[in-house]
Structure formats: structure tokens, C-alpha cells
PDB file of all heavy atoms in Angstrom:
ATOM      1  N   VAL A 103     129.290 -34.783  77.670  1.00 81.00           N
ATOM      2  CA  VAL A 103     128.833 -35.313  76.380  1.00 81.00           C
ATOM      3  C   VAL A 103     130.009 -35.863  75.585  1.00 81.00           C
ATOM      4  O   VAL A 103     129.910 -36.926  74.938  1.00 81.00           O
ATOM      5  CB  VAL A 103     128.079 -34.229  75.580  1.00 81.00           C
ATOM      6  CG1 VAL A 103     127.800 -34.709  74.155  1.00 81.00           C
ATOM      7  CG2 VAL A 103     126.782 -33.867  76.270  1.00 81.00           C
ATOM      8  N   LEU A 104     131.147 -35.170  75.624  1.00 79.00           N
ATOM      9  CA  LEU A 104     132.335 -35.665  74.920  1.00 79.00           C
ATOM     10  C   LEU A 104     132.776 -37.015  75.484  1.00 79.00           C
ATOM     11  O   LEU A 104     133.173 -37.917  74.742  1.00 79.00           O
ATOM     12  CB  LEU A 104     133.474 -34.646  75.039  1.00 79.00           C
ATOM     13  CG  LEU A 104     133.283 -33.334  74.263  1.00 79.00           C
ATOM     14  CD1 LEU A 104     134.332 -32.311  74.695  1.00 79.00           C
ATOM     15  CD2 LEU A 104     133.360 -33.567  72.762  1.00 79.00           C
ATOM     16  N   GLY A 105     132.689 -37.163  76.807  1.00 78.00           N
ATOM     17  CA  GLY A 105     133.030 -38.447  77.417  1.00 78.00           C
ATOM     18  C   GLY A 105     132.073 -39.548  77.002  1.00 78.00           C
ATOM     19  O   GLY A 105     132.480 -40.698  76.775  1.00 78.00           O
ATOM     20  N   ILE A 106     130.789 -39.206  76.884  1.00 82.00           N
ATOM     21  CA  ILE A 106     129.802 -40.189  76.439  1.00 82.00           C
ATOM     22  C   ILE A 106     130.075 -40.608  74.996  1.00 82.00           C
ATOM     23  O   ILE A 106     129.889 -41.778  74.632  1.00 82.00           O
ATOM     24  CB  ILE A 106     128.380 -39.611  76.583  1.00 82.00           C
ATOM     25  CG1 ILE A 106     128.012 -39.533  78.068  1.00 82.00           C
ATOM     26  CG2 ILE A 106     127.348 -40.450  75.847  1.00 82.00           C
ATOM     27  CD1 ILE A 106     126.693 -38.865  78.337  1.00 82.00           C
ATOM     28  N   SER A 107     130.514 -39.672  74.162  1.00 85.00           N
ATOM     29  CA  SER A 107     130.861 -40.010  72.772  1.00 85.00           C
ATOM     30  C   SER A 107     131.962 -41.061  72.734  1.00 85.00           C
ATOM     31  O   SER A 107     131.936 -41.973  71.898  1.00 85.00           O
ATOM     32  CB  SER A 107     131.307 -38.748  72.017  1.00 85.00           C
ATOM     33  OG  SER A 107     130.239 -37.836  71.894  1.00 85.00           O
ATOM     34  N   ASN A 108     132.945 -40.943  73.643  1.00 84.00           N
ATOM     35  CA  ASN A 108     134.002 -41.962  73.721  1.00 84.00           C
ATOM     36  C   ASN A 108     133.405 -43.338  74.001  1.00 84.00           C
ATOM     37  O   ASN A 108     133.723 -44.330  73.340  1.00 84.00           O
ATOM     38  CB  ASN A 108     134.990 -41.621  74.837  1.00 84.00           C
ATOM     39  CG  ASN A 108     135.692 -40.295  74.630  1.00 84.00           C
ATOM     40  OD1 ASN A 108     135.591 -39.682  73.571  1.00 84.00           O
ATOM     41  ND2 ASN A 108     136.377 -39.839  75.648  1.00 84.00           N
ATOM     42  N   ARG A 109     132.529 -43.385  74.992  1.00 83.00           N
ATOM     43  CA  ARG A 109     131.936 -44.667  75.400  1.00 83.00           C
ATOM     44  C   ARG A 109     131.025 -45.223  74.307  1.00 83.00           C
ATOM     45  O   ARG A 109     131.012 -46.433  74.057  1.00 83.00           O
ATOM     46  CB  ARG A 109     131.146 -44.484  76.703  1.00 83.00           C
ATOM     47  CG  ARG A 109     132.019 -44.291  77.939  1.00 83.00           C
ATOM     48  CD  ARG A 109     131.187 -43.921  79.154  1.00 83.00           C
ATOM     49  NE  ARG A 109     131.994 -43.898  80.378  1.00 83.00           N
ATOM     50  CZ  ARG A 109     131.976 -44.845  81.307  1.00 83.00           C
ATOM     51  NH1 ARG A 109     131.200 -45.899  81.151  1.00 83.00           N
ATOM     52  NH2 ARG A 109     132.713 -44.747  82.383  1.00 83.00           N
ATOM     53  N   PHE A 110     130.264 -44.340  73.667  1.00 86.00           N
ATOM     54  CA  PHE A 110     129.378 -44.809  72.596  1.00 86.00           C
ATOM     55  C   PHE A 110     130.195 -45.361  71.432  1.00 86.00           C
ATOM     56  O   PHE A 110     129.826 -46.374  70.817  1.00 86.00           O
ATOM     57  CB  PHE A 110     128.476 -43.671  72.118  1.00 86.00           C
ATOM     58  CG  PHE A 110     127.517 -44.088  71.029  1.00 86.00           C
ATOM     59  CD1 PHE A 110     126.507 -45.003  71.282  1.00 86.00           C
ATOM     60  CD2 PHE A 110     127.646 -43.592  69.746  1.00 86.00           C
ATOM     61  CE1 PHE A 110     125.625 -45.412  70.284  1.00 86.00           C
ATOM     62  CE2 PHE A 110     126.772 -43.981  68.735  1.00 86.00           C
ATOM     63  CZ  PHE A 110     125.761 -44.886  69.006  1.00 86.00           C
ATOM     64  N   GLY A 111     131.324 -44.712  71.110  1.00 88.00           N
ATOM     65  CA  GLY A 111     132.208 -45.240  70.069  1.00 88.00           C
ATOM     66  C   GLY A 111     132.723 -46.619  70.421  1.00 88.00           C
ATOM     67  O   GLY A 111     132.820 -47.500  69.562  1.00 88.00           O
ATOM     68  N   SER A 112     133.044 -46.831  71.710  1.00 86.00           N
ATOM     69  CA  SER A 112     133.520 -48.144  72.163  1.00 86.00           C
ATOM     70  C   SER A 112     132.433 -49.207  71.992  1.00 86.00           C
ATOM     71  O   SER A 112     132.690 -50.305  71.494  1.00 86.00           O
ATOM     72  CB  SER A 112     133.944 -48.061  73.634  1.00 86.00           C
ATOM     73  OG  SER A 112     134.967 -47.119  73.809  1.00 86.00           O
ATOM     74  N   VAL A 113     131.209 -48.873  72.417  1.00 84.00           N
ATOM     75  CA  VAL A 113     130.092 -49.812  72.287  1.00 84.00           C
ATOM     76  C   VAL A 113     129.846 -50.153  70.824  1.00 84.00           C
ATOM     77  O   VAL A 113     129.695 -51.330  70.445  1.00 84.00           O
ATOM     78  CB  VAL A 113     128.807 -49.207  72.907  1.00 84.00           C
ATOM     79  CG1 VAL A 113     127.597 -50.064  72.568  1.00 84.00           C
ATOM     80  CG2 VAL A 113     128.956 -49.090  74.418  1.00 84.00           C
ATOM     81  N   LEU A 114     129.802 -49.119  69.979  1.00 87.00           N
ATOM     82  CA  LEU A 114     129.536 -49.326  68.556  1.00 87.00           C
ATOM     83  C   LEU A 114     130.657 -50.123  67.889  1.00 87.00           C
ATOM     84  O   LEU A 114     130.408 -50.982  67.030  1.00 87.00           O
ATOM     85  CB  LEU A 114     129.373 -47.966  67.863  1.00 87.00           C
ATOM     86  CG  LEU A 114     128.726 -47.965  66.479  1.00 87.00           C
ATOM     87  CD1 LEU A 114     127.312 -48.530  66.547  1.00 87.00           C
ATOM     88  CD2 LEU A 114     128.707 -46.551  65.908  1.00 87.00           C
ATOM     89  N   GLY A 115     131.902 -49.853  68.293  1.00 88.00           N
ATOM     90  CA  GLY A 115     133.037 -50.577  67.719  1.00 88.00           C
ATOM     91  C   GLY A 115     132.963 -52.065  67.991  1.00 88.00           C
ATOM     92  O   GLY A 115     133.152 -52.893  67.088  1.00 88.00           O
ATOM     93  N   ILE A 116     132.683 -52.432  69.245  1.00 87.00           N
ATOM     94  CA  ILE A 116     132.574 -53.848  69.604  1.00 87.00           C
ATOM     95  C   ILE A 116     131.372 -54.489  68.913  1.00 87.00           C
ATOM     96  O   ILE A 116     131.458 -55.586  68.349  1.00 87.00           O
ATOM     97  CB  ILE A 116     132.464 -54.012  71.124  1.00 87.00           C
ATOM     98  CG1 ILE A 116     133.733 -53.513  71.830  1.00 87.00           C
ATOM     99  CG2 ILE A 116     132.195 -55.468  71.487  1.00 87.00           C
ATOM    100  CD1 ILE A 116     134.965 -54.322  71.553  1.00 87.00           C
ATOM    101  N   ALA A 117     130.222 -53.798  68.951  1.00 84.00           N
ATOM    102  CA  ALA A 117     128.986 -54.385  68.408  1.00 84.00           C
ATOM    103  C   ALA A 117     129.064 -54.534  66.889  1.00 84.00           C
ATOM    104  O   ALA A 117     128.848 -55.630  66.348  1.00 84.00           O
ATOM    105  CB  ALA A 117     127.786 -53.517  68.794  1.00 84.00           C
ATOM    106  N   LEU A 118     129.367 -53.458  66.186  1.00 87.00           N
ATOM    107  CA  LEU A 118     129.337 -53.485  64.720  1.00 87.00           C
ATOM    108  C   LEU A 118     130.510 -54.266  64.141  1.00 87.00           C
ATOM    109  O   LEU A 118     130.322 -55.140  63.278  1.00 87.00           O
ATOM    110  CB  LEU A 118     129.334 -52.054  64.182  1.00 87.00           C
ATOM    111  CG  LEU A 118     129.225 -51.911  62.659  1.00 87.00           C
ATOM    112  CD1 LEU A 118     127.963 -52.585  62.146  1.00 87.00           C
ATOM    113  CD2 LEU A 118     129.248 -50.438  62.260  1.00 87.00           C
ATOM    114  N   GLN A 119     131.712 -53.983  64.629  1.00 87.00           N
ATOM    115  CA  GLN A 119     132.885 -54.676  64.087  1.00 87.00           C
ATOM    116  C   GLN A 119     132.880 -56.162  64.446  1.00 87.00           C
ATOM    117  O   GLN A 119     133.294 -57.003  63.649  1.00 87.00           O
ATOM    118  CB  GLN A 119     134.170 -54.011  64.605  1.00 87.00           C
ATOM    119  CG  GLN A 119     134.420 -52.600  64.075  1.00 87.00           C
ATOM    120  CD  GLN A 119     134.990 -52.610  62.672  1.00 87.00           C
ATOM    121  OE1 GLN A 119     134.334 -53.050  61.718  1.00 87.00           O
ATOM    122  NE2 GLN A 119     136.208 -52.127  62.527  1.00 87.00           N
ATOM    123  N   GLY A 120     132.390 -56.475  65.640  1.00 85.00           N
ATOM    124  CA  GLY A 120     132.279 -57.892  66.007  1.00 85.00           C
ATOM    125  C   GLY A 120     131.308 -58.636  65.112  1.00 85.00           C
ATOM    126  O   GLY A 120     131.553 -59.788  64.716  1.00 85.00           O
ATOM    127  N   THR A 121     130.205 -57.971  64.765  1.00 85.00           N
ATOM    128  CA  THR A 121     129.219 -58.587  63.874  1.00 85.00           C
ATOM    129  C   THR A 121     129.764 -58.727  62.457  1.00 85.00           C
ATOM    130  O   THR A 121     129.574 -59.762  61.800  1.00 85.00           O
ATOM    131  CB  THR A 121     127.924 -57.752  63.864  1.00 85.00           C
ATOM    132  OG1 THR A 121     127.384 -57.736  65.190  1.00 85.00           O
ATOM    133  CG2 THR A 121     126.892 -58.353  62.923  1.00 85.00           C
ATOM    134  N   ILE A 122     130.430 -57.694  61.966  1.00 88.00           N
ATOM    135  CA  ILE A 122     131.063 -57.765  60.635  1.00 88.00           C
ATOM    136  C   ILE A 122     132.063 -58.909  60.590  1.00 88.00           C
ATOM    137  O   ILE A 122     132.092 -59.715  59.649  1.00 88.00           O
ATOM    138  CB  ILE A 122     131.754 -56.433  60.300  1.00 88.00           C
ATOM    139  CG1 ILE A 122     130.709 -55.347  60.041  1.00 88.00           C
ATOM    140  CG2 ILE A 122     132.672 -56.583  59.084  1.00 88.00           C
ATOM    141  CD1 ILE A 122     131.294 -53.955  59.896  1.00 88.00           C
ATOM    142  N   PHE A 123     132.879 -59.004  61.637  1.00 87.00           N
ATOM    143  CA  PHE A 123     133.870 -60.080  61.700  1.00 87.00           C
ATOM    144  C   PHE A 123     133.191 -61.448  61.665  1.00 87.00           C
ATOM    145  O   PHE A 123     133.614 -62.348  60.922  1.00 87.00           O
ATOM    146  CB  PHE A 123     134.705 -59.950  62.972  1.00 87.00           C
ATOM    147  CG  PHE A 123     135.542 -61.156  63.267  1.00 87.00           C
ATOM    148  CD1 PHE A 123     136.767 -61.333  62.639  1.00 87.00           C
ATOM    149  CD2 PHE A 123     135.097 -62.133  64.138  1.00 87.00           C
ATOM    150  CE1 PHE A 123     137.534 -62.468  62.885  1.00 87.00           C
ATOM    151  CE2 PHE A 123     135.850 -63.265  64.391  1.00 87.00           C
ATOM    152  CZ  PHE A 123     137.074 -63.428  63.760  1.00 87.00           C
ATOM    153  N   THR A 124     132.142 -61.629  62.464  1.00 84.00           N
ATOM    154  CA  THR A 124     131.445 -62.916  62.535  1.00 84.00           C
ATOM    155  C   THR A 124     130.882 -63.315  61.176  1.00 84.00           C
ATOM    156  O   THR A 124     130.995 -64.476  60.759  1.00 84.00           O
ATOM    157  CB  THR A 124     130.314 -62.851  63.574  1.00 84.00           C
ATOM    158  OG1 THR A 124     130.877 -62.553  64.857  1.00 84.00           O
ATOM    159  CG2 THR A 124     129.572 -64.176  63.661  1.00 84.00           C
ATOM    160  N   GLN A 125     130.277 -62.372  60.472  1.00 83.00           N
ATOM    161  CA  GLN A 125     129.693 -62.667  59.161  1.00 83.00           C
ATOM    162  C   GLN A 125     130.759 -63.097  58.162  1.00 83.00           C
ATOM    163  O   GLN A 125     130.574 -64.073  57.422  1.00 83.00           O
ATOM    164  CB  GLN A 125     128.936 -61.436  58.651  1.00 83.00           C
ATOM    165  CG  GLN A 125     127.670 -61.123  59.420  1.00 83.00           C
ATOM    166  CD  GLN A 125     126.954 -59.894  58.896  1.00 83.00           C
ATOM    167  OE1 GLN A 125     127.498 -59.140  58.100  1.00 83.00           O
ATOM    168  NE2 GLN A 125     125.724 -59.682  59.341  1.00 83.00           N
ATOM    169  N   LEU A 126     131.886 -62.365  58.130  1.00 86.00           N
ATOM    170  CA  LEU A 126     132.954 -62.707  57.181  1.00 86.00           C
ATOM    171  C   LEU A 126     133.623 -64.021  57.552  1.00 86.00           C
ATOM    172  O   LEU A 126     133.950 -64.831  56.681  1.00 86.00           O
ATOM    173  CB  LEU A 126     133.993 -61.574  57.138  1.00 86.00           C
ATOM    174  CG  LEU A 126     133.769 -60.467  56.104  1.00 86.00           C
ATOM    175  CD1 LEU A 126     133.921 -61.033  54.691  1.00 86.00           C
ATOM    176  CD2 LEU A 126     132.435 -59.787  56.259  1.00 86.00           C
ATOM    177  N   PHE A 127     133.836 -64.236  58.843  1.00 84.00           N
ATOM    178  CA  PHE A 127     134.432 -65.485  59.314  1.00 84.00           C
ATOM    179  C   PHE A 127     133.561 -66.670  58.899  1.00 84.00           C
ATOM    180  O   PHE A 127     134.057 -67.670  58.345  1.00 84.00           O
ATOM    181  CB  PHE A 127     134.574 -65.432  60.834  1.00 84.00           C
ATOM    182  CG  PHE A 127     135.104 -66.690  61.460  1.00 84.00           C
ATOM    183  CD1 PHE A 127     136.460 -66.846  61.707  1.00 84.00           C
ATOM    184  CD2 PHE A 127     134.256 -67.736  61.808  1.00 84.00           C
ATOM    185  CE1 PHE A 127     136.955 -68.015  62.282  1.00 84.00           C
ATOM    186  CE2 PHE A 127     134.733 -68.905  62.378  1.00 84.00           C
ATOM    187  CZ  PHE A 127     136.097 -69.033  62.621  1.00 84.00           C
ATOM    188  N   ALA A 128     132.261 -66.568  59.145  1.00 81.00           N
ATOM    189  CA  ALA A 128     131.344 -67.681  58.847  1.00 81.00           C
ATOM    190  C   ALA A 128     131.267 -67.960  57.356  1.00 81.00           C
ATOM    191  O   ALA A 128     131.299 -69.127  56.920  1.00 81.00           O
ATOM    192  CB  ALA A 128     129.955 -67.366  59.397  1.00 81.00           C
TER     193      ALA A 128
END
């Protein structure tokens, strides 16, 4: 489960931060 938390954090980081970046950039 701890390993899955690492992977979920990675997925969320790319998805959410990438979207935040795109909105501010645009």
C-alpha cells in the first residue's frame, strides 16, 4: 500500500500540476 501511495502521488502530480500549469499558461 505504501508503494501504491508513491505511484498515486506521481499520477496526481502529473495530472493536477500539469492542468494547473496549462490553465495559467493559457
Side-chain angles (χ1 to χ4, degrees):
V103 171
L104 290 168
I106 288 175
S107 295
N108 299 350
R109 287 172 173 256
F110 181 66
S112 301
V113 170
L114 196 61
I116 297 293
L118 183 58
Q119 292 281 64
T121 298
I122 290 172
F123 168 82
T124 300
Q125 290 180 348
L126 269 294
F127 177 94

